[in-house]
Amino acid sequence: MSDESREFHKPVRRPAELFDRLFAAEDPAEVSRVAHTTAQALLSRVREDPTADVVERLVSFTDEHGIDDLAELWSRSPAKTLPGALWRLYLLQLMIHDDPLTAALLYERGRVELASADPVIAGAPVPAGPDELVALVDAILRGLFQGDFAVALERAAAFCRVQASGATHLADDYEATEPDRASILTTRALRLTDYAGDLAACAALWRRDALT
């Protein structure tokens, strides 16, 4: 699994080494081919027939299977690709599900501090508690399969920017008294900012029919 995903990673149910057994590390072309093929096939199949039970199974995938099942396929993909976008969205969902209290704290702080339309674009209620944040991230993921894919990516990017703002401001609050906690929050803010940029770029590529 890539370094950028470790912060959002929870204990897995399958050994990470399975990926290397299935797709040899010395053959990155094969890894890339499988990642892109599976992501495109999944999205095409569901969007052609977006029945509620299938969509709900995909939304709850990480709850049932952990994240390694996806890591085996998508975690090595470049950020601005279809599998890279799906990987980041599932990691974002996993982060919120694993610690909705912290997510709500960061989101509310970011919403107050951020002078932009991002909270409106993300679409969370005001104020947004833990349950509302879980529902929001699931709704964003559901939108990938049922709605406008680019809009879902843009909502996810806005969500990341709000969270990053909250993490940055909380890091400043803790800098003098709890520097270790401040450092963790700063790292999260930087990662979320990167994710926001990646997802926004993927949305633009999708609108040009260039996200592969």
Side-chain angles (χ1 to χ4, degrees):
M1 185 175 299
S2 63
D3 291 341
E4 70 177 356
S5 66
R6 287 175 182 163
E7 182 190 354
F8 297 160
H9 183 60
K10 68 178 179 181
V12 298
R13 303 181 188 180
R14 300 179 63 184
E17 292 81 4
L18 181 58
F19 184 92
D20 289 324
R21 294 204 302 270
L22 289 173
F23 311 116
E26 63 269 21
D27 188 5
E30 179 66 7
V31 173
S32 177
R33 184 191 68 78
V34 171
H36 284 73
T37 299
T38 54
Q40 290 167 355
L42 172 68
L43 193 63
S44 296
R45 169 66 181 84
V46 178
R47 291 176 71 84
E48 287 172 3
D49 183 21
T51 55
D53 59 335
V54 172
V55 172
E56 291 309 311
R57 284 202 298 271
L58 289 171
V59 170
S60 61
F61 184 89
T62 58
D63 289 337
E64 298 175 7
H65 302 285
I67 200 71
D68 266 8
D69 295 288
L70 296 175
E72 290 163 16
L73 297 175
W74 298 338
S75 66
R76 300 186 184 186
S77 300
K80 298 175 182 63
T81 63
L82 179 58
L86 292 173
W87 171 243
R88 281 154 181 76
L89 285 162
Y90 271 111
L91 284 177
L92 184 63
Q93 183 200 40
L94 188 62
M95 180 189 74
I96 306 305
H97 278 233
D98 275 359
D99 190 358
L101 288 172
T102 297
L105 177 65
L106 296 182
Y107 190 91
E108 184 61 17
R109 181 63 182 273
R111 181 188 68 81
V112 172
E113 300 285 356
L114 195 60
S116 75
D118 285 321
V120 176
I121 295 170
V126 178
D131 291 342
E132 288 80 10
L133 263 291
V134 168
L136 174 64
V137 74
D138 287 354
I140 290 172
L141 193 58
R142 195 175 291 110
L144 296 178
F145 306 115
Q146 292 180 306
D148 187 315
F149 191 85
V151 169
L153 292 174
E154 289 164 350
R155 289 185 69 189
F159 181 88
C160 287
R161 287 190 291 267
V162 177
Q163 288 266 311
S165 173
T168 298
H169 284 89
L170 281 177
D172 291 342
D173 294 345
Y174 285 114
E175 183 62 40
T177 57
E178 298 183 50
D180 289 343
R181 187 172 185 181
S183 178
I184 291 171
L185 287 166
T186 298
T187 298
R188 176 172 289 196
L190 291 172
R191 190 149 300 156
L192 285 163
T193 298
D194 287 343
Y195 274 35
D198 293 338
L199 293 169
C202 287
L205 289 169
W206 179 267
R207 292 190 188 282
R208 301 198 302 270
D209 198 24
L211 185 66
T212 61

